[in-house]
Amino acid sequence: MLNFLKDFEAKLGIKITCSQETKPLGTAGPLALARDKLIDDSGEPFFVLNSDVISEYPLKEMIAFHKHHGGEASIMVAKVDEPSKYGVVVMEESTGEVEKFVEKPKLFVGNKINAGIYLLNPSVLDRIELRPTSIEKEVFPKIASEKKLYAMVLPGFWMDVGQPRDYITGLRLYLDSLRKKSPSKLATGSHIVGNVIVDETTKIGEGCLIGPDVAIGPGCVVESGVRLSCCTVMQGVRIKKHACISSTIIGWHSTVGQWARVENMTILGEDVHVCDEIYSNGGVVLPHKEIKSRIWKPEIVMCKLIKNPR
């Protein structure tokens, strides 16, 4: 993670400072740990973003909303179809003032959930001790009881991408958003179907069919006759001739062999090598493995598979 952030520090021309927990501190404790990095002389509010969600991030609009209501904290909320699976934020619709939080309600109390995007005044840090603390269960309810917490309904898409299947759904939503707002960033050509994003350094052979909902990272090689759909291909991956891949995440510097078929939420860790003509039906393969045997049903692969039954 630190190396990854250094690359973006250089790419974006900004300074990225990291605060690392030596022990888990929950969702609020890390803010106390980074207190000296978050507070400056300006007194301006700061954003807190959960890293396992994806959305359109209307940050400028949120700043305007925060300044308008004059409270101590603002949270973004997303509308969902099944609120009983989440903690629901009950709010006053006209002003956005948060009234209370209801965890996985059995009866309908609302359809808006915490989207994991916050804008907080520095004074919020005075409410957080340097210990394992939940910002959702311990800090926000107290601010709400003082009528200083407001919620803004998130426009556009939102998805928790903490699980592989949800990650693929999040990719689809993101690509849909690109189609509407920045279509020039999407790949085009006779070999492209639907929404696809391909790094400019990737090489794609003849006779491929790619899409819909595919993201291919830098430095990849996709040989001729490959079929890709609903998948993410990370940096440095090689996909050999006539492989067929769907609903899959392929980790960095991995290889998928000729005529291999990989599907049903297969996850390949970094430096995984799938041999020719192998079938994977939902395998989760840890890094640095060579797969020589078919994976007939979803399972976790922790050691090398050396047989190739015919």
Side-chain angles (χ1 to χ4, degrees):
M1 178 63 77
L2 293 175
N3 291 334
F4 176 84
L5 291 174
K6 286 179 181 178
D7 290 343
F8 270 85
E9 190 174 46
K11 181 179 179 180
L12 299 175
I14 60 175
K15 174 65 175 176
I16 299 177
T17 302
C18 296
S19 175
Q20 186 172 355
E21 301 162 79
T22 56
K23 62 178 181 179
L25 292 172
T27 54
L31 298 177
L33 182 65
R35 179 187 178 92
D36 61 328
K37 299 176 176 63
L38 294 171
I39 292 184
D40 57 25
D41 295 333
S42 69
E44 290 293 312
F46 57 88
F47 282 102
V48 177
L49 311 175
N50 287 359
S51 61
D52 58 355
V53 300
I54 186 169
S55 74
E56 294 181 357
Y57 292 102
L59 303 183
K60 290 183 179 180
E61 294 89 336
M62 194 173 187
I63 291 173
F65 172 76
H66 185 78
K67 290 182 177 179
H68 176 74
H69 67 64
E72 190 175 11
S74 298
I75 66 173
M76 199 80 76
V77 294
K79 294 181 179 179
V80 295
D81 294 330
E82 297 184 42
S84 60
K85 293 182 178 180
Y86 306 91
V88 173
V89 180
V90 180
M91 54 186 280
E92 209 287 313
E93 295 294 332
S94 61
T95 64
E97 182 181 309
V98 175
E99 299 173 1
K100 61 181 178 178
F101 297 83
V102 181
E103 185 65 23
K104 296 182 179 179
K106 295 182 180 180
L107 298 176
F108 183 85
V109 294
N111 65 345
K112 300 176 184 69
I113 67 169
N114 183 348
I117 303 171
Y118 316 135
L119 186 57
L120 311 178
N121 288 351
S123 59
V124 173
L125 294 174
D126 296 332
R127 300 174 179 269
I128 304 172
E129 298 179 14
L130 186 55
R131 60 174 178 81
T133 311
S134 168
I135 196 168
E136 301 87 357
K137 296 179 180 179
E138 299 179 61
V139 180
F140 285 158
K142 291 182 180 178
I143 301 176
S145 69
E146 298 173 12
K147 301 185 180 302
K148 296 180 179 179
L149 180 65
Y150 290 78
M152 173 181 168
V153 179
L154 175 68
F157 75 97
W158 177 89
M159 190 70 197
D160 181 329
V161 293
Q163 299 295 325
R165 191 174 298 278
D166 295 333
Y167 178 92
I168 295 297
T169 300
L171 171 64
R172 175 179 59 79
L173 295 172
Y174 170 69
L175 293 176
D176 283 343
S177 177
L178 280 185
R179 172 67 67 186
K180 297 172 184 176
K181 297 191 173 184
S182 303
S184 62
K185 294 182 179 180
L186 296 174
T188 57
S190 60
H191 63 298
I192 300 296
V193 179
N195 297 331
V196 175
I197 188 168
V198 180
D199 189 88
E200 60 184 8
T201 60
T202 280
K203 298 179 180 179
I204 298 178
E206 297 181 355
C208 293
L209 187 60
I210 299 175
D213 305 326
V214 172
I216 304 177
C220 295
V221 176
V222 181
E223 297 183 1
S224 61
V226 166
R227 177 71 175 106
L228 302 176
S229 64
C230 302
C231 62
T232 293
V233 180
M234 296 188 180
Q235 181 176 355
V237 168
R238 176 179 287 272
I239 302 174
K240 296 185 178 181
K241 296 178 181 179
H242 307 295
C244 182
I245 299 169
S246 64
S247 299
T248 291
I249 301 172
I250 303 178
W252 306 267
H253 309 292
S254 293
T255 303
V256 178
Q258 298 183 47
W259 295 102
R261 187 176 183 91
V262 182
E263 61 187 13
N264 192 26
M265 288 316 306
T266 290
I267 313 297
L268 305 182
E270 182 177 8
D271 186 37
V272 168
H273 302 284
V274 178
C275 293
D276 295 349
E277 302 180 33
I278 290 298
Y279 173 63
S280 174
N281 176 27
V284 177
V285 185
L286 274 64
H288 314 299
K289 302 291 182 290
E290 183 179 24
I291 304 303
K292 296 183 177 181
S293 179
R294 294 168 187 159
I295 302 173
W296 293 108
K297 60 182 180 179
E299 61 178 299
I300 297 175
V301 179
M302 302 180 67
C303 59
K304 292 184 179 180
L305 297 180
I306 59 176
K307 295 181 180 180
N308 186 13
R310 295 279 181 179

PDB file of all heavy atoms in Angstrom, residues 231-248:
ATOM      1  N   CYS A 231     -14.965  -8.595 -15.859  1.00  0.00           N
ATOM      2  CA  CYS A 231     -13.761  -8.970 -15.115  1.00  0.00           C
ATOM      3  C   CYS A 231     -12.801  -7.793 -15.001  1.00  0.00           C
ATOM      4  O   CYS A 231     -12.871  -6.826 -15.762  1.00  0.00           O
ATOM      5  CB  CYS A 231     -13.073 -10.169 -15.765  1.00  0.00           C
ATOM      6  SG  CYS A 231     -12.498  -9.890 -17.444  1.00  0.00           S
ATOM      7  N   THR A 232     -11.903  -7.908 -14.031  1.00  0.00           N
ATOM      8  CA  THR A 232     -10.819  -6.956 -13.842  1.00  0.00           C
ATOM      9  C   THR A 232      -9.498  -7.675 -14.031  1.00  0.00           C
ATOM     10  O   THR A 232      -9.265  -8.732 -13.434  1.00  0.00           O
ATOM     11  CB  THR A 232     -10.875  -6.328 -12.436  1.00  0.00           C
ATOM     12  OG1 THR A 232     -12.038  -5.508 -12.333  1.00  0.00           O
ATOM     13  CG2 THR A 232      -9.650  -5.474 -12.168  1.00  0.00           C
ATOM     14  N   VAL A 233      -8.641  -7.096 -14.870  1.00  0.00           N
ATOM     15  CA  VAL A 233      -7.330  -7.663 -15.160  1.00  0.00           C
ATOM     16  C   VAL A 233      -6.295  -6.643 -14.689  1.00  0.00           C
ATOM     17  O   VAL A 233      -6.195  -5.551 -15.240  1.00  0.00           O
ATOM     18  CB  VAL A 233      -7.172  -7.950 -16.665  1.00  0.00           C
ATOM     19  CG1 VAL A 233      -5.805  -8.553 -16.954  1.00  0.00           C
ATOM     20  CG2 VAL A 233      -8.283  -8.874 -17.152  1.00  0.00           C
ATOM     21  N   MET A 234      -5.534  -6.997 -13.665  1.00  0.00           N
ATOM     22  CA  MET A 234      -4.625  -6.030 -13.060  1.00  0.00           C
ATOM     23  C   MET A 234      -3.272  -5.992 -13.785  1.00  0.00           C
ATOM     24  O   MET A 234      -3.031  -6.727 -14.728  1.00  0.00           O
ATOM     25  CB  MET A 234      -4.481  -6.328 -11.573  1.00  0.00           C
ATOM     26  CG  MET A 234      -5.788  -6.154 -10.825  1.00  0.00           C
ATOM     27  SD  MET A 234      -5.610  -6.268  -9.035  1.00  0.00           S
ATOM     28  CE  MET A 234      -7.306  -6.034  -8.528  1.00  0.00           C
ATOM     29  N   GLN A 235      -2.406  -5.137 -13.316  1.00  0.00           N
ATOM     30  CA  GLN A 235      -1.157  -4.818 -14.013  1.00  0.00           C
ATOM     31  C   GLN A 235      -0.305  -6.050 -14.315  1.00  0.00           C
ATOM     32  O   GLN A 235      -0.149  -6.941 -13.496  1.00  0.00           O
ATOM     33  CB  GLN A 235      -0.343  -3.837 -13.162  1.00  0.00           C
ATOM     34  CG  GLN A 235       0.971  -3.418 -13.790  1.00  0.00           C
ATOM     35  CD  GLN A 235       1.678  -2.365 -12.951  1.00  0.00           C
ATOM     36  OE1 GLN A 235       1.147  -1.893 -11.949  1.00  0.00           O
ATOM     37  NE2 GLN A 235       2.868  -1.988 -13.355  1.00  0.00           N
ATOM     38  N   GLY A 236       0.260  -6.053 -15.526  1.00  0.00           N
ATOM     39  CA  GLY A 236       1.260  -7.049 -15.877  1.00  0.00           C
ATOM     40  C   GLY A 236       0.741  -8.446 -16.141  1.00  0.00           C
ATOM     41  O   GLY A 236       1.516  -9.402 -16.158  1.00  0.00           O
ATOM     42  N   VAL A 237      -0.541  -8.599 -16.381  1.00  0.00           N
ATOM     43  CA  VAL A 237      -1.131  -9.924 -16.612  1.00  0.00           C
ATOM     44  C   VAL A 237      -0.951 -10.328 -18.083  1.00  0.00           C
ATOM     45  O   VAL A 237      -1.035  -9.496 -18.980  1.00  0.00           O
ATOM     46  CB  VAL A 237      -2.631  -9.919 -16.239  1.00  0.00           C
ATOM     47  CG1 VAL A 237      -3.333 -11.175 -16.746  1.00  0.00           C
ATOM     48  CG2 VAL A 237      -2.797  -9.781 -14.734  1.00  0.00           C
ATOM     49  N   ARG A 238      -0.728 -11.610 -18.307  1.00  0.00           N
ATOM     50  CA  ARG A 238      -0.708 -12.164 -19.673  1.00  0.00           C
ATOM     51  C   ARG A 238      -1.837 -13.184 -19.800  1.00  0.00           C
ATOM     52  O   ARG A 238      -1.914 -14.128 -19.003  1.00  0.00           O
ATOM     53  CB  ARG A 238       0.624 -12.822 -19.991  1.00  0.00           C
ATOM     54  CG  ARG A 238       0.652 -13.498 -21.388  1.00  0.00           C
ATOM     55  CD  ARG A 238       2.006 -14.117 -21.682  1.00  0.00           C
ATOM     56  NE  ARG A 238       2.994 -13.102 -21.965  1.00  0.00           N
ATOM     57  CZ  ARG A 238       3.249 -12.572 -23.163  1.00  0.00           C
ATOM     58  NH1 ARG A 238       2.553 -12.998 -24.222  1.00  0.00           N
ATOM     59  NH2 ARG A 238       4.174 -11.654 -23.323  1.00  0.00           N
ATOM     60  N   ILE A 239      -2.680 -12.979 -20.787  1.00  0.00           N
ATOM     61  CA  ILE A 239      -3.761 -13.922 -21.083  1.00  0.00           C
ATOM     62  C   ILE A 239      -3.467 -14.537 -22.448  1.00  0.00           C
ATOM     63  O   ILE A 239      -3.429 -13.826 -23.458  1.00  0.00           O
ATOM     64  CB  ILE A 239      -5.132 -13.226 -21.068  1.00  0.00           C
ATOM     65  CG1 ILE A 239      -5.359 -12.564 -19.700  1.00  0.00           C
ATOM     66  CG2 ILE A 239      -6.241 -14.229 -21.355  1.00  0.00           C
ATOM     67  CD1 ILE A 239      -6.614 -11.730 -19.620  1.00  0.00           C
ATOM     68  N   LYS A 240      -3.263 -15.833 -22.464  1.00  0.00           N
ATOM     69  CA  LYS A 240      -2.818 -16.489 -23.690  1.00  0.00           C
ATOM     70  C   LYS A 240      -3.985 -16.818 -24.622  1.00  0.00           C
ATOM     71  O   LYS A 240      -5.152 -16.667 -24.266  1.00  0.00           O
ATOM     72  CB  LYS A 240      -2.012 -17.735 -23.326  1.00  0.00           C
ATOM     73  CG  LYS A 240      -0.728 -17.403 -22.564  1.00  0.00           C
ATOM     74  CD  LYS A 240       0.133 -18.639 -22.318  1.00  0.00           C
ATOM     75  CE  LYS A 240       1.418 -18.264 -21.603  1.00  0.00           C
ATOM     76  NZ  LYS A 240       2.278 -19.454 -21.365  1.00  0.00           N
ATOM     77  N   LYS A 241      -3.648 -17.285 -25.808  1.00  0.00           N
ATOM     78  CA  LYS A 241      -4.594 -17.449 -26.905  1.00  0.00           C
ATOM     79  C   LYS A 241      -5.837 -18.250 -26.524  1.00  0.00           C
ATOM     80  O   LYS A 241      -5.739 -19.288 -25.880  1.00  0.00           O
ATOM     81  CB  LYS A 241      -3.904 -18.131 -28.086  1.00  0.00           C
ATOM     82  CG  LYS A 241      -2.774 -17.312 -28.699  1.00  0.00           C
ATOM     83  CD  LYS A 241      -2.120 -18.076 -29.824  1.00  0.00           C
ATOM     84  CE  LYS A 241      -0.966 -17.273 -30.429  1.00  0.00           C
ATOM     85  NZ  LYS A 241      -0.300 -18.020 -31.521  1.00  0.00           N
ATOM     86  N   HIS A 242      -6.988 -17.729 -26.939  1.00  0.00           N
ATOM     87  CA  HIS A 242      -8.276 -18.420 -26.871  1.00  0.00           C
ATOM     88  C   HIS A 242      -8.748 -18.718 -25.444  1.00  0.00           C
ATOM     89  O   HIS A 242      -9.628 -19.560 -25.253  1.00  0.00           O
ATOM     90  CB  HIS A 242      -8.236 -19.713 -27.689  1.00  0.00           C
ATOM     91  CG  HIS A 242      -7.787 -19.502 -29.102  1.00  0.00           C
ATOM     92  ND1 HIS A 242      -8.521 -18.767 -29.997  1.00  0.00           N
ATOM     93  CD2 HIS A 242      -6.660 -19.900 -29.749  1.00  0.00           C
ATOM     94  CE1 HIS A 242      -7.878 -18.735 -31.166  1.00  0.00           C
ATOM     95  NE2 HIS A 242      -6.745 -19.408 -31.041  1.00  0.00           N
ATOM     96  N   ALA A 243      -8.182 -18.047 -24.459  1.00  0.00           N
ATOM     97  CA  ALA A 243      -8.713 -18.169 -23.095  1.00  0.00           C
ATOM     98  C   ALA A 243     -10.062 -17.463 -23.021  1.00  0.00           C
ATOM     99  O   ALA A 243     -10.326 -16.489 -23.735  1.00  0.00           O
ATOM    100  CB  ALA A 243      -7.742 -17.569 -22.084  1.00  0.00           C
ATOM    101  N   CYS A 244     -10.929 -17.959 -22.139  1.00  0.00           N
ATOM    102  CA  CYS A 244     -12.255 -17.375 -21.947  1.00  0.00           C
ATOM    103  C   CYS A 244     -12.421 -17.056 -20.463  1.00  0.00           C
ATOM    104  O   CYS A 244     -12.354 -17.953 -19.611  1.00  0.00           O
ATOM    105  CB  CYS A 244     -13.330 -18.360 -22.408  1.00  0.00           C
ATOM    106  SG  CYS A 244     -15.010 -17.701 -22.263  1.00  0.00           S
ATOM    107  N   ILE A 245     -12.637 -15.792 -20.145  1.00  0.00           N
ATOM    108  CA  ILE A 245     -12.652 -15.347 -18.750  1.00  0.00           C
ATOM    109  C   ILE A 245     -13.892 -14.493 -18.511  1.00  0.00           C
ATOM    110  O   ILE A 245     -14.159 -13.545 -19.262  1.00  0.00           O
ATOM    111  CB  ILE A 245     -11.386 -14.531 -18.428  1.00  0.00           C
ATOM    112  CG1 ILE A 245     -10.134 -15.402 -18.625  1.00  0.00           C
ATOM    113  CG2 ILE A 245     -11.433 -13.983 -17.010  1.00  0.00           C
ATOM    114  CD1 ILE A 245      -8.841 -14.626 -18.587  1.00  0.00           C
ATOM    115  N   SER A 246     -14.653 -14.811 -17.450  1.00  0.00           N
ATOM    116  CA  SER A 246     -15.824 -14.016 -17.092  1.00  0.00           C
ATOM    117  C   SER A 246     -15.995 -14.002 -15.582  1.00  0.00           C
ATOM    118  O   SER A 246     -15.591 -14.951 -14.895  1.00  0.00           O
ATOM    119  CB  SER A 246     -17.082 -14.583 -17.764  1.00  0.00           C
ATOM    120  OG  SER A 246     -17.364 -15.876 -17.290  1.00  0.00           O
ATOM    121  N   SER A 247     -16.570 -12.921 -15.059  1.00  0.00           N
ATOM    122  CA  SER A 247     -16.842 -12.780 -13.615  1.00  0.00           C
ATOM    123  C   SER A 247     -15.625 -13.187 -12.793  1.00  0.00           C
ATOM    124  O   SER A 247     -15.687 -14.062 -11.927  1.00  0.00           O
ATOM    125  CB  SER A 247     -18.062 -13.625 -13.226  1.00  0.00           C
ATOM    126  OG  SER A 247     -19.200 -13.192 -13.926  1.00  0.00           O
ATOM    127  N   THR A 248     -14.518 -12.527 -13.048  1.00  0.00           N
ATOM    128  CA  THR A 248     -13.228 -12.927 -12.467  1.00  0.00           C
ATOM    129  C   THR A 248     -12.394 -11.695 -12.161  1.00  0.00           C
ATOM    130  O   THR A 248     -12.497 -10.676 -12.838  1.00  0.00           O
ATOM    131  CB  THR A 248     -12.478 -13.845 -13.457  1.00  0.00           C
ATOM    132  OG1 THR A 248     -13.163 -15.092 -13.549  1.00  0.00           O
ATOM    133  CG2 THR A 248     -11.047 -14.114 -13.023  1.00  0.00           C
TER     134      THR A 248
END
